Amino acid sequence: MKSHSISLWFAGALVFSGCVSKPLPPEEASHRSAAVHLKQAGTKTTPDAQRAALYLRSAAEAYELLGSSSSSEAGRVIYNKAVTDLTVLLRNADQGKMWNRPLTLAADGITYRLRFAPGTKDGVWSPRYFTGFKPAADVDNGTIHSRNHQDGIGGALVGVHKTEPLEAFSPRVGIAAPVTAFVDFKGRDATLTLIDAGKRPKFGVAGKQQVPEADFSAPLAYYPQKSELWNGLMGAFRVTHYMGLTGLYQLEPYDPDRIPLIFVHGLISTPQMWRNVINEVEKDPVLRARYQCLVFGYPTGNPPAYSGLRLREELAKFEQLHPEARPYVLVGHSMGGLVSRMQAETLDREAWNVIGKDKADKFFAHVEKGSLVERATIFKANPRVGRLIFICTPHRGSEMALGRIGELGRRLISLPVDLTGTLTKSMADTMDIATGAKGRLPNSVTGLSPSNPMLKALDSRPIEAPYHTILGDRGKGDGPLSSDGVVKYWSSHLTHAKSECVVPGPHGACEMPQTIEELRRLLHLHLKESGKGR
């Protein structure tokens, strides 16, 4: 690819410098002419309609070379660039007034008639959906460890859907998607089509079925790349400032035919932690076509039971908006696994007797019907949860919550005043029953203590969906004594899991090759068992 780009640049440089004196072979003359018109179209002082016509002329000349044995690569590179820049120009020009309507465009005595292809269910995006585009090549992929790029024909773009006010489940920067733009020509009649390369592995261009140029990493890299460590720390210790960000977020446009794959992060972390995991999952074309990824973000200083309630509420809103959605697969890391587990278990009043009936009676005597505390502690399993995958999850707590690090964390966490007031009022003198520790307010650290009553109640009830565990082992212990450095095997192991995979790594083992391989295997298994593996 690099040598082709260099040769194309050199040929273009000869044209632009006027160094070519001999007549050129027809195909070489065509690709140089296409390069000249591409450069002219990039002149921003030229009127937008004329620039669009020049982009079309460049694309049309390059289009004729796509099947050539000698100039197809030069033609492909020019065609892709012309179509990319044309799409961005048309969406942005004159406040979008040139977008998604028939256009007659002329430059240098040549007139083109351009139309936009409507969206279809088989992998053609509707032009009306996107409010903006960014060339995939212009997106900073610095946080992506291994770029997921596909060479082919067409303009690789990040399509962005952002409304005012924001739609439900939209990130603040909008919902991003991989888009490949094609322009097909019949004489001077041109059609612009926006392809979802995840659904359409090939598309008819220039009389042939072509592989689309696509960048599946660019939409993930498009989302803000703030400091994960800093935001994770602040989300744990300064909860008030992050409460408004709690929510379920779509990372791609909703598709009723694809399974929602929901990732839930753990303590002192953010949804950003999943960027490379999702990128690796989507390198598998089958998984990319069958799943749609979402993340649940929340300030991790809150008690796990409260965060579990918030995820339940978000899933209920999602189901109300999309009643036809397929059953979810939840992937939770560390405390995020506990938050996920709370979506697939039923805890009734009797479940709490595991801590002692007298204690449970005393605690619930102060809990009002329908209150926040009741909704966080008494709930039903969500039947729409199709499968859970736990990664390094402390189902029975972590001993680190009991030591000096845990004590420091408890002192640093500052919960919102209104949440603290609600908990204090509801629990009155039963706070020690709720936390398992005398004189302590509930927060994420007390919620991860092995003595926490919620963990005991959860552990006494069955998980009402198929589930799997992926555990870390640093190799410093065997069996029940092995540990990922934060969570020991006796806490992360679940006897009735459908499968258990131990990877040779630490607590943050999500991006390890062995973890990714197991995650892919489980997602394929889910397709097979849910009848979607076709």
Side-chain angles (χ1 to χ4, degrees), residues 413-457:
I413 291 173
S414 175
L415 297 182
V417 173
D418 56 346
L419 179 58
T420 301
T422 298
L423 295 176
T424 302
K425 180 180 178 181
S426 297
M427 296 179 185
D429 60 349
T430 63
M431 192 78 72
D432 58 324
I433 298 176
T435 62
K438 196 167 186 177
R440 290 173 179 167
L441 273 169
N443 58 37
S444 56
V445 175
T446 59
L448 294 175
S449 167
S451 62
N452 185 272
M454 171 61 87
L455 298 184
K456 297 179 184 298

Side-chain angles (χ1 to χ4, degrees), residues 312-390:
R312 262 194 309 282
E313 292 172 341
E314 288 294 290
L315 291 177
K317 293 175 187 175
F318 188 81
E319 291 160 18
Q320 186 174 18
L321 184 62
H322 303 298
E324 76 293 343
R326 299 189 183 281
Y328 324 118
V329 174
L330 296 176
V331 180
H333 173 249
S334 191
M335 187 171 72
L338 295 175
V339 173
S340 300
R341 180 174 177 167
M342 292 176 198
Q343 313 311 307
E345 278 199 28
T346 295
L347 285 193
D348 54 16
R349 168 61 191 81
E350 296 301 314
W352 289 89
N353 287 342
V354 70
I355 67 173
K357 190 175 184 305
D358 291 344
K359 283 186 177 180
D361 285 342
K362 183 179 179 182
F363 175 76
F364 282 101
H366 294 270
V367 176
E368 294 181 9
K369 186 76 173 175
S371 67
L372 181 148
V373 172
E374 186 192 54
R375 288 182 288 122
T377 54
I378 302 293
F379 46 82
K380 292 183 178 180
N382 185 337
R384 303 292 291 276
V385 175
R387 192 173 301 266
L388 301 101
I389 301 172
F390 301 113

Side-chain angles (χ1 to χ4, degrees), residues 206-390:
K208 289 185 176 181
Q209 289 295 308
Q210 308 276 11
V211 174
E213 178 93 0
D215 192 325
F216 299 106
S217 298
L220 291 169
Y222 172 81
Y223 292 111
Q225 302 178 25
K226 298 177 181 177
S227 169
E228 182 184 345
L229 177 59
W230 176 255
N231 283 301
L233 286 168
M234 291 300 99
F237 300 143
R238 296 293 177 264
V239 176
T240 301
H241 302 296
Y242 290 81
M243 289 289 279
L245 298 178
T246 301
L248 188 65
Y249 295 100
Q250 293 175 218
L251 298 184
E252 49 199 289
Y254 172 74
D255 183 345
D257 294 328
R258 295 161 73 198
I259 298 169
L261 176 58
I262 302 171
F263 293 87
V264 186
H265 64 83
L267 182 65
I268 312 182
S269 191
T270 74
Q272 284 178 264
M273 69 158 285
W274 297 112
R275 178 181 279 124
N276 282 289
V277 175
I278 294 171
N279 184 62
E280 292 299 320
V281 167
E282 292 188 341
K283 284 184 178 180
D284 184 317
V286 174
L287 300 181
R288 187 169 65 231
R290 299 297 185 190
Y291 289 95
Q292 54 191 321
C293 295
L294 302 90
V295 292
F296 177 64
Y298 62 105
T300 61
N302 282 326
Y306 177 77
S307 299
L309 168 62
R310 293 302 305 270
L311 178 53
R312 262 194 309 282
E313 292 172 341
E314 288 294 290
L315 291 177
K317 293 175 187 175
F318 188 81
E319 291 160 18
Q320 186 174 18
L321 184 62
H322 303 298
E324 76 293 343
R326 299 189 183 281
Y328 324 118
V329 174
L330 296 176
V331 180
H333 173 249
S334 191
M335 187 171 72
L338 295 175
V339 173
S340 300
R341 180 174 177 167
M342 292 176 198
Q343 313 311 307
E345 278 199 28
T346 295
L347 285 193
D348 54 16
R349 168 61 191 81
E350 296 301 314
W352 289 89
N353 287 342
V354 70
I355 67 173
K357 190 175 184 305
D358 291 344
K359 283 186 177 180
D361 285 342
K362 183 179 179 182
F363 175 76
F364 282 101
H366 294 270
V367 176
E368 294 181 9
K369 186 76 173 175
S371 67
L372 181 148
V373 172
E374 186 192 54
R375 288 182 288 122
T377 54
I378 302 293
F379 46 82
K380 292 183 178 180
N382 185 337
R384 303 292 291 276
V385 175
R387 192 173 301 266
L388 301 101
I389 301 172
F390 301 113

Side-chain angles (χ1 to χ4, degrees), residues 470-491:
I470 301 174
L471 321 176
D473 180 10
R474 295 187 304 165
K476 296 185 178 181
D478 296 313
L481 297 178
S482 65
S483 172
D484 63 20
V486 176
V487 181
K488 290 188 176 180
Y489 180 84
W490 60 260
S491 180

